[in-house]
Amino acid sequence: MRSDGSPIHEITSISGVGFGFLSLIVGVHRTWISKRDAIARVCRMLESLAGVKRFHGAFPHFVDTSSGKTIPFAKYDDGGDLVETALLVQALICVREFFSGETSEEIGLRRSVTEIVDAVEWNWFTRGETGPLFWHWSPRYAWAKNLPIVGWNEALVCYVLAAGSVAHPISPECYHSGWARSGAIRNGSNYLGVRLPLGEPYGGPLFLSHYSFCTLDPRGLGDVYCCDYLEQAHAHCQINYRYCRTRYAMEVGWGLSACDGPKGYVVNSPTNDHGIIATTAALSSMPFMPLRSQQAALRFLQWSDSALIGHFGLMDAFQPSMGWVSGTHLAINQGPVVTMMENHRTGLIWDLFMNAPEVKNGLAHLGFYQDNSHEGTKAHEAGRSILRGNAMS
């Protein structure tokens, strides 16, 4: 949306809808919105989603806001987008778990969520093989986009949901040979003095450590490729922060991710730096770098006589060297801010998602473990204290 709240155009992002659902949950928890009003809003959203054309259960990336018709995202991409769908489904599961009452409205809400969640044919997106899931399928172009979902990126939750699906599960081998690339997902190198367990050099844009971890609780979570996913997320954020300190003045703040830019949407990272700070990058890193995230928030609020403050909060991005400020708020950036701040404070969304049966099943099938023991909890809290201290480094 524009800063004045008017729509840029009639386009709805399916993942943005998912982050909207998560924000509504937080809104009820924080009493920003009544439970009654939130349920009514959720039910209207679910009714709209039910009218959107799906492709083997997967939603498209973009839909027309008024009609629900598919809007092509790119060449060969006018059908199902499995990652967008996963980012919606993770939120729907949290909605189902949160609105757990026995009123007719909540029972109907949960029924609608189940119909959407169970319809996703995750296993069909393997092309009938034991390799990776594939990102796109189009009835017109079939698999022409040909983009396997391989790690490390924002799509870890896609494999967890696929493995835990009741109706259309994938085999663990899809995760190991596809997502993890038979171990090639590992990194282990040091960047700016920080060891990065997984992924590309310098970690890439920060949304890679935000989207899936809005719902997946990384604390004590591990598998054969990473002993602690909190370590992975913290390392990624710390590398991004340290890089920004070499590139931008301290009073500017920090954070490189995908965001609005002077010439349109752009992906920023330490290896692809366009000089644009995304406010979501630091703010959505609150559970992983709390002190540095809070410092960034204060600097964003104060920068250039409050130039970043808009009607819906901080604007999406800014280019300090040119004095340019985005005129937009993007749902896929705003939603993670709300969600991750709440996860830092209470773990609300993490708890809802991790206690859902299909999530427990998915993690178990893929060989994940989570140390929830008393000693493990104490050790983990000690680890969080260390992270808070290290945030000053």
Side-chain angles (χ1 to χ4, degrees):
M1 302 184 78
R2 298 187 192 280
S3 58
D4 63 1
S6 62
I8 298 174
H9 34 53
E10 286 287 297
I11 292 182
T12 293
S13 156
I14 289 299
S15 60
V17 174
F19 291 124
F21 279 123
L22 294 178
S23 298
L24 279 170
I25 293 172
V26 175
V28 174
H29 180 71
R30 290 286 157 192
T31 68
W32 303 333
I33 181 174
S34 71
K35 184 177 180 181
R36 179 179 178 180
D37 288 346
I39 289 173
R41 175 66 64 86
V42 167
C43 289
R44 289 198 299 272
M45 293 167 71
L46 289 170
E47 184 178 356
S48 295
L49 286 171
V52 173
K53 181 178 180 180
R54 277 162 275 175
F55 307 86
H56 290 274
F59 286 84
H61 189 117
F62 283 148
V63 298
D64 181 271
T65 303
S66 297
S67 67
K69 293 182 178 179
T70 300
I71 295 176
F73 180 71
K75 187 177 182 181
Y76 305 131
D77 184 5
D78 61 354
D81 183 313
L82 201 62
V83 175
E84 287 286 303
T85 300
L87 297 177
L88 171 65
V89 168
Q90 68 174 358
L92 290 176
I93 289 173
C94 292
V95 163
R96 185 197 68 204
E97 297 298 303
F98 183 75
F99 294 106
S100 58
E102 293 304 316
T103 65
S104 59
E105 291 82 5
E106 288 176 89
I107 292 171
L109 179 157
R110 294 196 297 272
R111 184 184 304 115
S112 296
V113 166
T114 298
E115 290 173 355
I116 293 174
V117 171
D118 287 352
V120 182
E121 299 176 28
W122 304 97
N123 56 354
W124 192 83
F125 280 83
T126 66
R127 300 186 186 179
E129 301 176 359
T130 56
L133 291 163
F134 281 80
W135 207 299
H136 310 90
W137 180 81
S138 158
R140 183 177 180 182
Y141 300 110
W143 303 104
K145 193 72 176 173
N146 196 35
L147 183 61
I149 305 174
V150 296
W152 177 257
N153 59 37
E154 73 273 26
L156 174 60
V157 75
C158 193
Y159 278 86
V160 174
L161 293 170
S165 171
V166 174
H168 306 284
I170 62 170
S171 71
E173 181 57 24
C174 293
Y175 175 78
H176 296 294
S177 65
W179 169 259
R181 293 175 286 134
S182 301
I185 191 175
R186 295 189 181 97
N187 186 314
S189 296
N190 286 277
Y191 304 94
L192 303 177
V194 179
R195 178 184 175 276
L196 183 67
L198 305 173
E200 63 186 84
Y202 293 89
L206 272 179
F207 76 88
L208 302 188
S209 284
H210 294 158
Y211 286 2
S212 282
F213 290 136
C214 278
T215 56
L216 281 170
D217 184 353
R219 299 172 298 178
L221 186 69
D223 64 3
V224 297
Y225 307 105
C226 184
C227 63
D228 188 341
Y229 279 90
L230 178 61
E231 178 189 356
Q232 166 69 18
H234 175 251
H236 186 190
C237 295
Q238 196 172 31
I239 291 166
N240 198 288
Y241 167 78
R242 290 188 178 186
Y243 170 81
C244 286
R245 288 283 59 82
T246 70
R247 176 77 165 81
Y248 301 95
M250 184 69 74
E251 62 270 16
V252 165
W254 63 277
L256 303 180
S257 192
C259 61
D260 194 17
K263 298 180 181 180
Y265 193 69
V266 62
V267 178
N268 306 282
S269 72
T271 58
N272 190 38
D273 183 3
H274 298 269
I276 301 168
I277 297 289
T279 56
T280 186
L283 300 184
S284 297
S285 299
M286 191 74 71
F288 314 130
M289 295 272 285
L291 295 180
R292 289 306 187 190
S293 295
Q294 292 165 24
Q295 290 171 352
L298 291 174
R299 286 165 183 153
F300 294 154
L301 290 169
Q302 297 165 356
W303 186 77
S304 190
D305 296 324
S306 304
L308 296 180
I309 300 177
H311 185 69
F312 298 101
L314 291 170
M315 305 309 296
D316 190 62
F318 65 111
Q319 190 173 38
S321 63
M322 303 300 293
W324 173 86
V325 176
S326 166
T328 59
H329 299 276
L330 301 184
I332 57 173
N333 286 343
Q334 293 281 87
V337 172
V338 176
T339 304
M340 289 303 230
M341 284 187 173
E342 189 59 44
N343 279 332
H344 170 64
R345 297 174 76 178
T346 67
L348 171 66
I349 302 299
W350 284 341
D351 289 343
L352 290 170
F353 191 70
M354 297 297 281
N355 284 312
E358 58 266 75
V359 176
K360 289 182 177 180
N361 290 337
L363 290 169
H365 288 159
L366 298 182
F368 278 80
Y369 59 86
Q370 190 166 35
D371 187 351
N372 290 320
S373 67
H374 180 64
E375 290 302 315
T377 299
K378 288 198 301 183
H380 187 69
E381 289 305 314
R384 283 201 62 153
S385 297
I386 292 171
L387 292 189
R388 291 174 190 270
N390 285 347
M392 299 302 296
S393 63

